[in-house]
C-alpha cells in the first residue's frame, strides 16, 4: 500500500470522526527497513518517522538529517537509561516513558541540556507481564510525578494485546489521558489505526503497510 493511500485513509477517518483535517500525525515506522525504502518515503515528502531502537536510529538517521530537512524522529520502542542521552540528542519525541528510573534520568538530562523531546507515557493497558508500561491503576500518580519533574509529557502511548479488541484499549487510554489533562494519544498501527483515530488518536504508527514487510538484518 502506498504512502498516499495511508494518508488518504487517515484523512477519511479524521472526517468520519469529526476531527480536524491534519490533526492525526502519521509516524512511518522505519525500524528494520533498508535505507533505500526509507529514502523513497523521504523523497515523497514525508518527514515523521518512528524507530524502536536507539542504536539503529543512530546508525540510520544522522545521514538522512544532513540530506533532508525537518525530519521529525520518534522513538517508539523501549529505552534503556544508559541510552537516554543518545535518544534525547537524536529524537524529537519519545513514546516509551515507562518507569520512574527512566523519568528521573530524562529529567536530569532535560535540566542539563535546557531542552527535552516531547514525551509520552507508555501505559500497559492489557496489564501483560511481558510488556513494558505503567499499569493503568498507577498511571495517574506516575504522570503527576513526571509533571513535578518538569518533564514535557504530551500524552500517552499503548500497544494493545494482539488477541483482544484494540478499541477497548484505545478507549481506556483516552480516558486516562483526559482525566490527566493530556491531549496526545499515540495509538493505532497498520491493522487498526482507523479505530484509533475514531477514539482520539493524535499519532498513529504505521510500518509494513507503507514500507512492505520488514527486512531483518543479516547476521
Amino acid at each position: 500500500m502506498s504512502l498516499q493511500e495511508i494518508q488518504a485513509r487517515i484523512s477519511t477517518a479524521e472526517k468520519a470522526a469529526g476531527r480536524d483535517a491534519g490533526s492525526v500525525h502519521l509516524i512511518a515506522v522505519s525500524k528494520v527497513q533498508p535505507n533505500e525504502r526509507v529514502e523513497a518515503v523521504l523523497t515523497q515528502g514525508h518527514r515523521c518517522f518512528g524507530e524502536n531502537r536507539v542504536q539503529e536510529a543512530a546508525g540510520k538517521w544522522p545521514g538522512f538529517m544532513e540530506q533532508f530537512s525537518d525530519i521529525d524522529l520518534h522513538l517508539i520502542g523501549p529505552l534503556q537509561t544508559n541510552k537516554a542521552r543518545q535518544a534525547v540528542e537524536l529524537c524529537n519525541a519519545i513514546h516509551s516513558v515507562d518507569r520512574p528510573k527512566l523519568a528521573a534520568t530524562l529529567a536530569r538530562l532535560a535540566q542539563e541540556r535546557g531542552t527535552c523531546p516531547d514525551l509520552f507515557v507508555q501505559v500497559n493497558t492489557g496489564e501483560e507481564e511481558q510488556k513494558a508500561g505503567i499499569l493503568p491503576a498507577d498511571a495517574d500518580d506516575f504522570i503527576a510525578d513526571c509533571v513535578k519533574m518538569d518533564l514535557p509529557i504530551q500524552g500517552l502511548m499503548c500497544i494493545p494485546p494482539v488477541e483482544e479488541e484494540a478499541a477497548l484499549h484505545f478507549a481506556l487510554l483516552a480516558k486516562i489521558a483526559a482525566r490527566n489533562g493530556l491531549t496526545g494519544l499515540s495509538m493505532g498501527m497498520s491493522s487498526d489505526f482507523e479505530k484509533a483515530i475514531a477514539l482520539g488518536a493524535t499519532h498513529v504508527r504505521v510500518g509494513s503497510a507503507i514500507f512492505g514487510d520488514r527486512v531483518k538484518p543479516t547476521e
Side-chain angles (χ1 to χ4, degrees):
M1 193 173 297
S2 70
L3 174 66
Q4 289 74 22
E5 286 176 295
I6 296 294
Q7 291 170 329
R9 286 173 59 186
I10 289 173
S11 295
T12 299
E14 286 174 334
K15 186 175 181 181
R19 305 274 302 276
D20 290 339
S23 60
V24 178
H25 301 275
L26 170 59
I27 301 174
V29 180
S30 49
K31 65 177 183 179
V32 201
Q33 292 290 350
N35 282 1
E36 57 267 24
R37 290 187 185 178
V38 178
E39 186 170 3
V41 174
L42 280 162
T43 302
Q44 293 175 66
H46 193 71
R47 290 293 181 268
C48 185
F49 292 82
E51 289 286 342
N52 259 44
R53 296 173 63 246
V54 176
Q55 186 174 354
E56 182 182 351
K60 179 187 299 180
W61 285 99
F64 283 136
M65 288 173 177
E66 291 181 4
Q67 187 178 357
F68 298 91
S69 62
D70 303 322
I71 287 175
D72 183 20
L73 185 61
H74 295 237
L75 182 69
I76 59 175
L79 176 58
Q80 298 173 305
T81 51
N82 64 353
K83 298 284 178 61
R85 181 180 297 277
Q86 194 174 19
V88 300
E89 291 174 350
L90 183 63
C91 300
N92 302 95
I94 296 170
H95 291 236
S96 48
V97 182
D98 62 356
R99 60 198 187 281
K101 183 179 179 182
L102 177 58
T105 300
L106 292 170
R108 176 177 54 79
L109 290 169
Q111 290 180 354
E112 177 186 312
R113 300 174 74 246
T115 185
C116 185
D118 290 340
L119 302 177
F120 291 74
V121 170
Q122 182 172 351
V123 181
N124 185 353
T125 55
E127 302 185 25
E128 298 173 274
E129 290 185 5
Q130 78 281 12
K131 192 173 288 182
I134 299 294
L135 294 176
D138 300 328
D140 294 355
D141 288 342
F142 182 72
I143 293 165
D145 289 342
C146 289
V147 171
K148 287 176 185 175
M149 288 187 279
D150 292 325
L151 287 173
I153 303 296
Q154 304 299 312
L156 308 178
M157 184 270 265
C158 76
I159 305 171
V162 293
E163 72 281 0
E164 295 185 16
E165 172 52 59
L168 298 175
H169 295 269
F170 299 155
L172 173 59
L173 197 73
K175 184 177 180 180
I176 297 170
R179 70 174 181 242
N180 285 281
L182 298 174
T183 57
L185 288 170
S186 173
M187 59 189 195
M189 296 185 282
S190 294
S191 62
D192 54 25
F193 67 82
E194 283 135 329
K195 290 181 182 179
I197 291 170
L199 289 163
T202 57
H203 296 71
V204 296
R205 310 180 301 270
V206 180
S208 57
I210 294 173
F211 294 102
D213 291 337
R214 293 177 195 148
V215 178
K216 292 187 177 181
T218 55
E219 296 295 333

